[in-house]
Amino acid sequence: MSVTLVSGVNGVGLSSVCQAVRRGLGDGYKLINFGDVMLEQAAAMGITTERAQLGTLSQTETRRLQRRAGEFVAEEAATTNVILSTHLAVETQTGYVQGLPVEVLRDVSPDAFVLVEAEPATILERRQESDRDLDGITERQIDFEQDLNRSAALQYARDQNAPVRFVENEGEIETAAERLADSL
């Protein structure tokens, strides 16, 4: 079975695009949100039940949750094709860290990487319309986050000997979802 890792910064419409792709695919694909799996692991360990709290954890706690989430994804990928939605660079209180440390990347073993992007102005507008607390974000910071995501994707793809694909999400979700489906 395969793992296609799909990534984008907050506000790019990553979840919406992935959900639209999943609706159009057959039963042979499962959509997994890496952050949701980390949150489930954190709740099971009594650490937190709030997603916003994941960014406040120590690097040790974060890596432990990432490893457990990676093991879960690897187990799922043994029996079905997985579309894995995640962030490749994650902002924490101490700065940005890898979304998938090398041991997690090895477990998940993606066959392809897809970056979903939009113009920083579009992302900023979407963030302002969302219910998440993302105050103080600028277009420049969004551009920086997308650059980090691109760099991480290329590094991860090199390590996995896998291609990186690009999907633009400027218009209708269905259009971006079709582009993503074509890359599967």
Side-chain angles (χ1 to χ4, degrees):
M1 304 278 103
S2 68
V3 175
T4 301
L5 192 146
V6 185
S7 183
V9 301
N10 287 327
V12 77
L14 182 64
S15 295
S16 298
V17 170
C18 287
Q19 289 167 0
V21 165
R22 176 58 200 100
R23 282 191 302 270
L25 295 173
D27 291 335
Y29 283 88
K30 182 173 187 172
L31 174 59
I32 299 174
N33 181 298
F34 198 75
D36 289 348
V37 176
M38 285 182 60
L39 185 58
E40 289 170 9
Q41 295 298 320
M45 296 168 64
I47 296 172
T48 186
T49 58
E50 295 185 35
R51 186 149 188 155
Q53 294 297 314
L54 292 178
T56 66
L57 300 177
S58 71
Q59 284 190 359
T60 301
E61 288 174 310
T62 299
R63 289 206 185 269
R64 184 177 303 125
L65 293 173
Q66 288 170 321
R67 282 193 307 271
R68 288 185 178 199
E71 291 168 357
F72 173 83
V73 172
E75 288 172 13
E76 292 296 313
T79 59
T80 190
N81 295 306
V82 172
I83 301 167
L84 180 61
S85 172
T86 191
H87 300 292
L88 299 180
V90 179
E91 186 175 16
T92 68
Q93 289 181 330
T94 59
Y96 290 89
V97 297
Q98 290 180 310
L100 295 173
V102 80
E103 63 275 6
V104 176
L105 184 65
R106 200 174 307 120
D107 283 347
V108 171
S109 191
D111 299 283
F113 295 82
V114 180
L115 291 178
V116 177
E117 292 193 5
E119 290 294 327
T122 302
I123 294 169
L124 184 59
E125 184 178 308
R126 289 175 183 163
R127 285 183 178 187
Q128 290 169 341
E129 292 171 358
S130 79
D131 58 353
R132 291 185 182 175
D133 181 25
L134 300 170
D135 292 335
I137 303 295
T138 65
E139 286 183 33
R140 186 173 176 148
Q141 185 173 355
I142 292 167
D143 192 42
F144 175 72
E145 290 173 0
Q146 288 193 131
D147 282 346
L148 285 176
N149 216 34
R150 291 176 195 133
S151 296
L154 190 57
Q155 176 188 342
Y156 291 158
R158 182 200 65 214
D159 293 347
Q160 290 298 122
N161 195 29
V164 177
R165 297 180 182 116
F166 171 78
V167 170
E168 187 172 24
N169 186 26
E170 276 295 331
E172 297 294 319
I173 292 292
E174 290 74 23
T175 303
E178 287 174 19
R179 290 185 194 130
L180 175 55
D182 289 345
S183 70
L184 298 175

PDB file of all heavy atoms in Angstrom, residues 87-120:
ATOM      1  N   HIS A  87       1.657  18.962   8.553  1.00  0.00           N
ATOM      2  CA  HIS A  87       2.508  20.131   8.354  1.00  0.00           C
ATOM      3  C   HIS A  87       3.950  19.650   8.433  1.00  0.00           C
ATOM      4  O   HIS A  87       4.308  18.886   9.331  1.00  0.00           O
ATOM      5  CB  HIS A  87       2.251  21.187   9.425  1.00  0.00           C
ATOM      6  CG  HIS A  87       0.837  21.678   9.436  1.00  0.00           C
ATOM      7  ND1 HIS A  87       0.307  22.427   8.415  1.00  0.00           N
ATOM      8  CD2 HIS A  87      -0.158  21.495  10.328  1.00  0.00           C
ATOM      9  CE1 HIS A  87      -0.951  22.701   8.686  1.00  0.00           C
ATOM     10  NE2 HIS A  87      -1.263  22.138   9.842  1.00  0.00           N
ATOM     11  N   LEU A  88       4.769  20.098   7.505  1.00  0.00           N
ATOM     12  CA  LEU A  88       6.162  19.657   7.477  1.00  0.00           C
ATOM     13  C   LEU A  88       7.057  20.516   8.351  1.00  0.00           C
ATOM     14  O   LEU A  88       8.150  20.105   8.719  1.00  0.00           O
ATOM     15  CB  LEU A  88       6.684  19.635   6.038  1.00  0.00           C
ATOM     16  CG  LEU A  88       5.937  18.690   5.104  1.00  0.00           C
ATOM     17  CD1 LEU A  88       6.532  18.732   3.708  1.00  0.00           C
ATOM     18  CD2 LEU A  88       5.934  17.265   5.655  1.00  0.00           C
ATOM     19  N   ALA A  89       6.594  21.707   8.673  1.00  0.00           N
ATOM     20  CA  ALA A  89       7.283  22.587   9.617  1.00  0.00           C
ATOM     21  C   ALA A  89       6.215  23.066  10.597  1.00  0.00           C
ATOM     22  O   ALA A  89       5.161  23.546  10.181  1.00  0.00           O
ATOM     23  CB  ALA A  89       7.933  23.754   8.898  1.00  0.00           C
ATOM     24  N   VAL A  90       6.485  22.912  11.875  1.00  0.00           N
ATOM     25  CA  VAL A  90       5.492  23.212  12.903  1.00  0.00           C
ATOM     26  C   VAL A  90       6.034  24.288  13.830  1.00  0.00           C
ATOM     27  O   VAL A  90       7.147  24.174  14.349  1.00  0.00           O
ATOM     28  CB  VAL A  90       5.167  21.929  13.712  1.00  0.00           C
ATOM     29  CG1 VAL A  90       4.157  22.231  14.798  1.00  0.00           C
ATOM     30  CG2 VAL A  90       4.688  20.821  12.797  1.00  0.00           C
ATOM     31  N   GLU A  91       5.220  25.330  14.043  1.00  0.00           N
ATOM     32  CA  GLU A  91       5.644  26.397  14.938  1.00  0.00           C
ATOM     33  C   GLU A  91       5.364  26.006  16.386  1.00  0.00           C
ATOM     34  O   GLU A  91       4.272  25.554  16.718  1.00  0.00           O
ATOM     35  CB  GLU A  91       4.911  27.700  14.613  1.00  0.00           C
ATOM     36  CG  GLU A  91       5.435  28.868  15.414  1.00  0.00           C
ATOM     37  CD  GLU A  91       4.811  30.185  15.018  1.00  0.00           C
ATOM     38  OE1 GLU A  91       3.758  30.192  14.347  1.00  0.00           O
ATOM     39  OE2 GLU A  91       5.384  31.227  15.402  1.00  0.00           O
ATOM     40  N   THR A  92       6.380  26.165  17.219  1.00  0.00           N
ATOM     41  CA  THR A  92       6.254  25.919  18.653  1.00  0.00           C
ATOM     42  C   THR A  92       6.648  27.203  19.387  1.00  0.00           C
ATOM     43  O   THR A  92       7.039  28.187  18.748  1.00  0.00           O
ATOM     44  CB  THR A  92       7.177  24.773  19.116  1.00  0.00           C
ATOM     45  OG1 THR A  92       8.542  25.201  18.998  1.00  0.00           O
ATOM     46  CG2 THR A  92       6.950  23.504  18.300  1.00  0.00           C
ATOM     47  N   GLN A  93       6.601  27.182  20.684  1.00  0.00           N
ATOM     48  CA  GLN A  93       6.994  28.357  21.470  1.00  0.00           C
ATOM     49  C   GLN A  93       8.472  28.688  21.287  1.00  0.00           C
ATOM     50  O   GLN A  93       8.880  29.828  21.459  1.00  0.00           O
ATOM     51  CB  GLN A  93       6.684  28.135  22.946  1.00  0.00           C
ATOM     52  CG  GLN A  93       5.209  28.157  23.245  1.00  0.00           C
ATOM     53  CD  GLN A  93       4.926  27.967  24.727  1.00  0.00           C
ATOM     54  OE1 GLN A  93       5.664  27.309  25.441  1.00  0.00           O
ATOM     55  NE2 GLN A  93       3.823  28.551  25.172  1.00  0.00           N
ATOM     56  N   THR A  94       9.282  27.695  20.956  1.00  0.00           N
ATOM     57  CA  THR A  94      10.724  27.927  20.809  1.00  0.00           C
ATOM     58  C   THR A  94      11.151  28.143  19.368  1.00  0.00           C
ATOM     59  O   THR A  94      12.319  28.362  19.103  1.00  0.00           O
ATOM     60  CB  THR A  94      11.518  26.740  21.401  1.00  0.00           C
ATOM     61  OG1 THR A  94      11.142  25.542  20.723  1.00  0.00           O
ATOM     62  CG2 THR A  94      11.261  26.600  22.886  1.00  0.00           C
ATOM     63  N   GLY A  95      10.216  28.068  18.432  1.00  0.00           N
ATOM     64  CA  GLY A  95      10.533  28.242  17.017  1.00  0.00           C
ATOM     65  C   GLY A  95       9.942  27.101  16.194  1.00  0.00           C
ATOM     66  O   GLY A  95       9.165  26.296  16.701  1.00  0.00           O
ATOM     67  N   TYR A  96      10.311  27.042  14.944  1.00  0.00           N
ATOM     68  CA  TYR A  96       9.793  25.997  14.059  1.00  0.00           C
ATOM     69  C   TYR A  96      10.601  24.716  14.219  1.00  0.00           C
ATOM     70  O   TYR A  96      11.825  24.760  14.383  1.00  0.00           O
ATOM     71  CB  TYR A  96       9.850  26.460  12.594  1.00  0.00           C
ATOM     72  CG  TYR A  96       8.860  27.538  12.287  1.00  0.00           C
ATOM     73  CD1 TYR A  96       9.193  28.879  12.444  1.00  0.00           C
ATOM     74  CD2 TYR A  96       7.575  27.235  11.846  1.00  0.00           C
ATOM     75  CE1 TYR A  96       8.282  29.889  12.164  1.00  0.00           C
ATOM     76  CE2 TYR A  96       6.647  28.234  11.575  1.00  0.00           C
ATOM     77  CZ  TYR A  96       7.015  29.554  11.736  1.00  0.00           C
ATOM     78  OH  TYR A  96       6.099  30.541  11.460  1.00  0.00           O
ATOM     79  N   VAL A  97       9.902  23.595  14.188  1.00  0.00           N
ATOM     80  CA  VAL A  97      10.547  22.277  14.259  1.00  0.00           C
ATOM     81  C   VAL A  97      10.022  21.418  13.111  1.00  0.00           C
ATOM     82  O   VAL A  97       8.994  21.725  12.505  1.00  0.00           O
ATOM     83  CB  VAL A  97      10.275  21.560  15.611  1.00  0.00           C
ATOM     84  CG1 VAL A  97      10.864  22.353  16.772  1.00  0.00           C
ATOM     85  CG2 VAL A  97       8.794  21.307  15.818  1.00  0.00           C
ATOM     86  N   GLN A  98      10.745  20.342  12.852  1.00  0.00           N
ATOM     87  CA  GLN A  98      10.333  19.414  11.811  1.00  0.00           C
ATOM     88  C   GLN A  98       8.992  18.789  12.158  1.00  0.00           C
ATOM     89  O   GLN A  98       8.759  18.377  13.291  1.00  0.00           O
ATOM     90  CB  GLN A  98      11.342  18.279  11.674  1.00  0.00           C
ATOM     91  CG  GLN A  98      12.661  18.682  11.082  1.00  0.00           C
ATOM     92  CD  GLN A  98      13.576  17.476  11.005  1.00  0.00           C
ATOM     93  OE1 GLN A  98      13.744  16.765  11.974  1.00  0.00           O
ATOM     94  NE2 GLN A  98      14.143  17.265   9.833  1.00  0.00           N
ATOM     95  N   GLY A  99       8.124  18.694  11.168  1.00  0.00           N
ATOM     96  CA  GLY A  99       6.846  18.028  11.362  1.00  0.00           C
ATOM     97  C   GLY A  99       6.999  16.519  11.437  1.00  0.00           C
ATOM     98  O   GLY A  99       6.204  15.846  12.079  1.00  0.00           O
ATOM     99  N   LEU A 100       8.034  16.013  10.775  1.00  0.00           N
ATOM    100  CA  LEU A 100       8.292  14.571  10.770  1.00  0.00           C
ATOM    101  C   LEU A 100       9.780  14.315  10.998  1.00  0.00           C
ATOM    102  O   LEU A 100      10.571  14.329  10.054  1.00  0.00           O
ATOM    103  CB  LEU A 100       7.877  13.947   9.427  1.00  0.00           C
ATOM    104  CG  LEU A 100       6.396  13.988   9.088  1.00  0.00           C
ATOM    105  CD1 LEU A 100       6.169  13.497   7.669  1.00  0.00           C
ATOM    106  CD2 LEU A 100       5.597  13.174  10.072  1.00  0.00           C
ATOM    107  N   PRO A 101      10.177  14.081  12.233  1.00  0.00           N
ATOM    108  CA  PRO A 101      11.577  13.730  12.485  1.00  0.00           C
ATOM    109  C   PRO A 101      11.958  12.480  11.686  1.00  0.00           C
ATOM    110  O   PRO A 101      11.095  11.712  11.265  1.00  0.00           O
ATOM    111  CB  PRO A 101      11.612  13.448  13.992  1.00  0.00           C
ATOM    112  CG  PRO A 101      10.426  14.159  14.539  1.00  0.00           C
ATOM    113  CD  PRO A 101       9.392  14.123  13.459  1.00  0.00           C
ATOM    114  N   VAL A 102      13.237  12.283  11.495  1.00  0.00           N
ATOM    115  CA  VAL A 102      13.733  11.236  10.598  1.00  0.00           C
ATOM    116  C   VAL A 102      13.189   9.843  10.947  1.00  0.00           C
ATOM    117  O   VAL A 102      12.826   9.075  10.061  1.00  0.00           O
ATOM    118  CB  VAL A 102      15.281  11.260  10.534  1.00  0.00           C
ATOM    119  CG1 VAL A 102      15.911  10.576  11.737  1.00  0.00           C
ATOM    120  CG2 VAL A 102      15.773  10.685   9.249  1.00  0.00           C
ATOM    121  N   GLU A 103      13.075   9.528  12.236  1.00  0.00           N
ATOM    122  CA  GLU A 103      12.583   8.192  12.607  1.00  0.00           C
ATOM    123  C   GLU A 103      11.098   8.033  12.261  1.00  0.00           C
ATOM    124  O   GLU A 103      10.646   6.945  11.906  1.00  0.00           O
ATOM    125  CB  GLU A 103      12.840   7.885  14.091  1.00  0.00           C
ATOM    126  CG  GLU A 103      12.143   8.790  15.080  1.00  0.00           C
ATOM    127  CD  GLU A 103      12.877  10.095  15.394  1.00  0.00           C
ATOM    128  OE1 GLU A 103      13.906  10.400  14.760  1.00  0.00           O
ATOM    129  OE2 GLU A 103      12.399  10.818  16.288  1.00  0.00           O
ATOM    130  N   VAL A 104      10.352   9.124  12.332  1.00  0.00           N
ATOM    131  CA  VAL A 104       8.933   9.089  11.977  1.00  0.00           C
ATOM    132  C   VAL A 104       8.789   8.986  10.462  1.00  0.00           C
ATOM    133  O   VAL A 104       7.992   8.201   9.949  1.00  0.00           O
ATOM    134  CB  VAL A 104       8.197  10.330  12.518  1.00  0.00           C
ATOM    135  CG1 VAL A 104       6.747  10.352  12.059  1.00  0.00           C
ATOM    136  CG2 VAL A 104       8.291  10.366  14.040  1.00  0.00           C
ATOM    137  N   LEU A 105       9.593   9.747   9.752  1.00  0.00           N
ATOM    138  CA  LEU A 105       9.590   9.685   8.288  1.00  0.00           C
ATOM    139  C   LEU A 105       9.894   8.271   7.811  1.00  0.00           C
ATOM    140  O   LEU A 105       9.249   7.748   6.904  1.00  0.00           O
ATOM    141  CB  LEU A 105      10.609  10.676   7.722  1.00  0.00           C
ATOM    142  CG  LEU A 105      10.658  10.794   6.208  1.00  0.00           C
ATOM    143  CD1 LEU A 105       9.357  11.368   5.671  1.00  0.00           C
ATOM    144  CD2 LEU A 105      11.837  11.666   5.791  1.00  0.00           C
ATOM    145  N   ARG A 106      10.830   7.645   8.466  1.00  0.00           N
ATOM    146  CA  ARG A 106      11.201   6.267   8.113  1.00  0.00           C
ATOM    147  C   ARG A 106      10.017   5.322   8.335  1.00  0.00           C
ATOM    148  O   ARG A 106       9.730   4.463   7.503  1.00  0.00           O
ATOM    149  CB  ARG A 106      12.400   5.823   8.953  1.00  0.00           C
ATOM    150  CG  ARG A 106      13.158   4.658   8.372  1.00  0.00           C
ATOM    151  CD  ARG A 106      14.430   4.328   9.153  1.00  0.00           C
ATOM    152  NE  ARG A 106      15.309   5.478   9.337  1.00  0.00           N
ATOM    153  CZ  ARG A 106      15.672   5.960  10.522  1.00  0.00           C
ATOM    154  NH1 ARG A 106      15.254   5.400  11.640  1.00  0.00           N
ATOM    155  NH2 ARG A 106      16.464   7.006  10.614  1.00  0.00           N
ATOM    156  N   ASP A 107       9.309   5.476   9.446  1.00  0.00           N
ATOM    157  CA  ASP A 107       8.145   4.626   9.731  1.00  0.00           C
ATOM    158  C   ASP A 107       7.014   4.860   8.733  1.00  0.00           C
ATOM    159  O   ASP A 107       6.420   3.922   8.225  1.00  0.00           O
ATOM    160  CB  ASP A 107       7.601   4.886  11.146  1.00  0.00           C
ATOM    161  CG  ASP A 107       8.433   4.238  12.230  1.00  0.00           C
ATOM    162  OD1 ASP A 107       9.282   3.381  11.916  1.00  0.00           O
ATOM    163  OD2 ASP A 107       8.219   4.592  13.408  1.00  0.00           O
ATOM    164  N   VAL A 108       6.722   6.124   8.469  1.00  0.00           N
ATOM    165  CA  VAL A 108       5.612   6.475   7.581  1.00  0.00           C
ATOM    166  C   VAL A 108       5.945   6.125   6.136  1.00  0.00           C
ATOM    167  O   VAL A 108       5.086   5.674   5.383  1.00  0.00           O
ATOM    168  CB  VAL A 108       5.264   7.978   7.729  1.00  0.00           C
ATOM    169  CG1 VAL A 108       4.268   8.422   6.677  1.00  0.00           C
ATOM    170  CG2 VAL A 108       4.734   8.255   9.127  1.00  0.00           C
ATOM    171  N   SER A 109       7.188   6.340   5.738  1.00  0.00           N
ATOM    172  CA  SER A 109       7.710   5.974   4.424  1.00  0.00           C
ATOM    173  C   SER A 109       6.828   6.426   3.258  1.00  0.00           C
ATOM    174  O   SER A 109       6.325   5.613   2.486  1.00  0.00           O
ATOM    175  CB  SER A 109       7.925   4.455   4.373  1.00  0.00           C
ATOM    176  OG  SER A 109       8.653   4.101   3.235  1.00  0.00           O
ATOM    177  N   PRO A 110       6.653   7.748   3.098  1.00  0.00           N
ATOM    178  CA  PRO A 110       5.804   8.245   2.011  1.00  0.00           C
ATOM    179  C   PRO A 110       6.355   7.893   0.630  1.00  0.00           C
ATOM    180  O   PRO A 110       7.564   7.909   0.411  1.00  0.00           O
ATOM    181  CB  PRO A 110       5.817   9.761   2.210  1.00  0.00           C
ATOM    182  CG  PRO A 110       6.355   9.990   3.571  1.00  0.00           C
ATOM    183  CD  PRO A 110       7.206   8.822   3.906  1.00  0.00           C
ATOM    184  N   ASP A 111       5.441   7.620  -0.286  1.00  0.00           N
ATOM    185  CA  ASP A 111       5.804   7.330  -1.671  1.00  0.00           C
ATOM    186  C   ASP A 111       5.840   8.604  -2.499  1.00  0.00           C
ATOM    187  O   ASP A 111       6.452   8.639  -3.570  1.00  0.00           O
ATOM    188  CB  ASP A 111       4.789   6.366  -2.287  1.00  0.00           C
ATOM    189  CG  ASP A 111       4.763   5.056  -1.540  1.00  0.00           C
ATOM    190  OD1 ASP A 111       5.675   4.247  -1.745  1.00  0.00           O
ATOM    191  OD2 ASP A 111       3.826   4.853  -0.730  1.00  0.00           O
ATOM    192  N   ALA A 112       5.141   9.640  -2.039  1.00  0.00           N
ATOM    193  CA  ALA A 112       5.090  10.921  -2.736  1.00  0.00           C
ATOM    194  C   ALA A 112       4.714  12.017  -1.752  1.00  0.00           C
ATOM    195  O   ALA A 112       4.078  11.752  -0.737  1.00  0.00           O
ATOM    196  CB  ALA A 112       4.074  10.867  -3.877  1.00  0.00           C
ATOM    197  N   PHE A 113       5.131  13.228  -2.093  1.00  0.00           N
ATOM    198  CA  PHE A 113       4.817  14.410  -1.304  1.00  0.00           C
ATOM    199  C   PHE A 113       4.060  15.381  -2.200  1.00  0.00           C
ATOM    200  O   PHE A 113       4.425  15.567  -3.362  1.00  0.00           O
ATOM    201  CB  PHE A 113       6.099  15.092  -0.805  1.00  0.00           C
ATOM    202  CG  PHE A 113       6.878  14.250   0.154  1.00  0.00           C
ATOM    203  CD1 PHE A 113       7.737  13.258  -0.302  1.00  0.00           C
ATOM    204  CD2 PHE A 113       6.765  14.439   1.518  1.00  0.00           C
ATOM    205  CE1 PHE A 113       8.462  12.476   0.576  1.00  0.00           C
ATOM    206  CE2 PHE A 113       7.478  13.658   2.406  1.00  0.00           C
ATOM    207  CZ  PHE A 113       8.323  12.673   1.934  1.00  0.00           C
ATOM    208  N   VAL A 114       3.024  15.981  -1.663  1.00  0.00           N
ATOM    209  CA  VAL A 114       2.252  16.986  -2.396  1.00  0.00           C
ATOM    210  C   VAL A 114       2.155  18.232  -1.529  1.00  0.00           C
ATOM    211  O   VAL A 114       1.737  18.157  -0.374  1.00  0.00           O
ATOM    212  CB  VAL A 114       0.830  16.474  -2.734  1.00  0.00           C
ATOM    213  CG1 VAL A 114       0.052  17.548  -3.492  1.00  0.00           C
ATOM    214  CG2 VAL A 114       0.890  15.178  -3.538  1.00  0.00           C
ATOM    215  N   LEU A 115       2.564  19.355  -2.102  1.00  0.00           N
ATOM    216  CA  LEU A 115       2.455  20.633  -1.407  1.00  0.00           C
ATOM    217  C   LEU A 115       1.248  21.380  -1.947  1.00  0.00           C
ATOM    218  O   LEU A 115       1.140  21.601  -3.151  1.00  0.00           O
ATOM    219  CB  LEU A 115       3.703  21.487  -1.635  1.00  0.00           C
ATOM    220  CG  LEU A 115       4.981  20.989  -0.978  1.00  0.00           C
ATOM    221  CD1 LEU A 115       6.143  21.918  -1.346  1.00  0.00           C
ATOM    222  CD2 LEU A 115       4.827  20.911   0.523  1.00  0.00           C
ATOM    223  N   VAL A 116       0.346  21.743  -1.054  1.00  0.00           N
ATOM    224  CA  VAL A 116      -0.812  22.558  -1.408  1.00  0.00           C
ATOM    225  C   VAL A 116      -0.466  23.981  -0.993  1.00  0.00           C
ATOM    226  O   VAL A 116      -0.128  24.232   0.163  1.00  0.00           O
ATOM    227  CB  VAL A 116      -2.090  22.068  -0.690  1.00  0.00           C
ATOM    228  CG1 VAL A 116      -3.266  22.972  -1.017  1.00  0.00           C
ATOM    229  CG2 VAL A 116      -2.381  20.618  -1.061  1.00  0.00           C
ATOM    230  N   GLU A 117      -0.535  24.901  -1.965  1.00  0.00           N
ATOM    231  CA  GLU A 117      -0.171  26.284  -1.682  1.00  0.00           C
ATOM    232  C   GLU A 117      -1.180  27.258  -2.278  1.00  0.00           C
ATOM    233  O   GLU A 117      -1.959  26.893  -3.158  1.00  0.00           O
ATOM    234  CB  GLU A 117       1.221  26.606  -2.246  1.00  0.00           C
ATOM    235  CG  GLU A 117       2.338  25.873  -1.546  1.00  0.00           C
ATOM    236  CD  GLU A 117       3.714  26.422  -1.895  1.00  0.00           C
ATOM    237  OE1 GLU A 117       3.801  27.439  -2.623  1.00  0.00           O
ATOM    238  OE2 GLU A 117       4.701  25.848  -1.434  1.00  0.00           O
ATOM    239  N   ALA A 118      -1.121  28.474  -1.782  1.00  0.00           N
ATOM    240  CA  ALA A 118      -1.903  29.592  -2.302  1.00  0.00           C
ATOM    241  C   ALA A 118      -1.080  30.853  -2.059  1.00  0.00           C
ATOM    242  O   ALA A 118      -0.066  30.828  -1.349  1.00  0.00           O
ATOM    243  CB  ALA A 118      -3.258  29.690  -1.602  1.00  0.00           C
ATOM    244  N   GLU A 119      -1.516  31.934  -2.641  1.00  0.00           N
ATOM    245  CA  GLU A 119      -0.841  33.211  -2.416  1.00  0.00           C
ATOM    246  C   GLU A 119      -0.956  33.576  -0.933  1.00  0.00           C
ATOM    247  O   GLU A 119      -1.999  33.336  -0.313  1.00  0.00           O
ATOM    248  CB  GLU A 119      -1.468  34.315  -3.267  1.00  0.00           C
ATOM    249  CG  GLU A 119      -1.201  34.175  -4.745  1.00  0.00           C
ATOM    250  CD  GLU A 119       0.272  34.359  -5.098  1.00  0.00           C
ATOM    251  OE1 GLU A 119       0.965  35.150  -4.421  1.00  0.00           O
ATOM    252  OE2 GLU A 119       0.727  33.687  -6.042  1.00  0.00           O
ATOM    253  N   PRO A 120       0.090  34.176  -0.350  1.00  0.00           N
ATOM    254  CA  PRO A 120       0.021  34.576   1.054  1.00  0.00           C
ATOM    255  C   PRO A 120      -1.190  35.450   1.375  1.00  0.00           C
ATOM    256  O   PRO A 120      -1.799  35.298   2.438  1.00  0.00           O
ATOM    257  CB  PRO A 120       1.341  35.322   1.279  1.00  0.00           C
ATOM    258  CG  PRO A 120       2.285  34.657   0.324  1.00  0.00           C
ATOM    259  CD  PRO A 120       1.438  34.379  -0.904  1.00  0.00           C
TER     260      PRO A 120
END
